[in-house]
Amino acid sequence: MQLRINYNHTMQILKYISVAAVTLLLLNGCNQKVNGDKFNRVEMLTNLSSHIIIPAHQQFSISSGELKQKKDAFISNPSSVTLDSLKSAFLLAYTSYMKVEAYSLPPSEGLRNLNVFTTDTAQIKSNVSSGSYDLNTANNIRAKGFPAIDFMLYSGSSNEILTRFTSDINASGRKQYLSDIVNEIETVSSNASSAWTSYVDQFIGASGTDIGSSSGMLVNDLSFEIERCRRERVGNSLGYLGSISTGTLNPMSVEAYYSAYSKELLIENLKECKTLYTGGTGISFDDYLAYLNADYNGQPLDSVITNQFDVTIQKAQNVPVDFSTAITTNKPEMESLFLELKKLTVLLKVDMSSQLGVIINYSDTDGD
């Protein structure tokens, strides 16, 4: 009897312990979830859409319209004056594009197809001479957009470019091709800007962190864009396959190779990505990480990422010449820039995404 009493007593104690343990686990889990849910993601998405994303798309649409106007003037009257004016409009539109390239949300779909490099110059020449092409097909993805204009306006002296658009046997076809690829940029940018106006309520309403939520998609876009900077804007020219150096330099693989504008474009892109991360004067992902008390080796993760953006931008600014030249004349500075971009990629793709509970749903072969 005594043994039975002790057994029952012991089982009762174990039951209480089990219930208490489960209760503590549930409370702990609920506290984490409630803590995360209390962050005002609606306010964050409202700030990002109203003050950063939509204005950037509007500015890109405006600059693309100006590019189209300058293109029309050049085609009507090719001269050194209209060519210089067209080149200025091109660099302005290309710079504006850097503010929207990161976004893959529905209104922005198609924007990334405007800047696929390395340029397929053979395909461009073939399209110009044949006059038969479909810019929507896969074989023309590297023969249109900004890289194609870069090639057509800068791959020679101004006199050589003017000759190609005036007395060359393919001058007429070249004018038509330039007109078609510029018009496509103007159309895509205008459609994206208009689409954001009607999409913004849906964007703010998708305020979770799951796959398909606006926060989840922006974290993926930000990680993808910085990874593209590391791999395509710097790493490929230095001969990196992922993080492994092949030792083979490839200066022609840089962005905007013919206009020698790769450094300026990278800096503009990094600055815009930092603005997306910080939210400008409003709240964004850095505030979200601070709210969660996210830690990185004893330091606030939000500050670590902000500082890494600044360090990386400074490294890019320290490169004294265009990247295609710098990989041979200033290789240590380029290697240092590549290293900082790699650190930034890991901080966003691994540390930030895990703290926010966002799944990275794109893949690469780099192993970051």
Side-chain angles (χ1 to χ4, degrees), residues 267 270-271 274-275 277-278 302-318 337 340 344 347:
I267 292 172
L270 289 173
K271 287 181 176 178
K274 181 188 174 186
T275 300
Y277 169 71
T278 62
D302 62 300
S303 298
V304 171
I305 294 177
T306 300
N307 292 337
Q308 187 59 37
F309 265 113
D310 292 337
V311 169
T312 307
I313 292 170
Q314 186 61 56
K315 290 293 183 181
Q317 291 172 335
N318 289 345
L337 173 59
E340 300 305 334
L344 184 56
L347 284 170

Side-chain angles (χ1 to χ4, degrees), residues 28 83 121 130 144 180 188 196 202 247 249 281 289 303 307 321:
N28 187 47
L83 177 59
T121 59
S130 70
K144 65 176 187 177
D180 288 342
V188 171
W196 264 103
Q202 182 180 340
L249 302 180
T281 58
L289 292 172
S303 298
N307 292 337
V321 292

Side-chain angles (χ1 to χ4, degrees), residues 54 58 106-107 190-204:
I54 291 178
Q58 291 172 336
S190 177
N191 289 343
S193 181
S194 298
W196 264 103
T197 303
S198 56
Y199 177 74
V200 63
D201 288 342
Q202 182 180 340
F203 172 77
I204 296 172

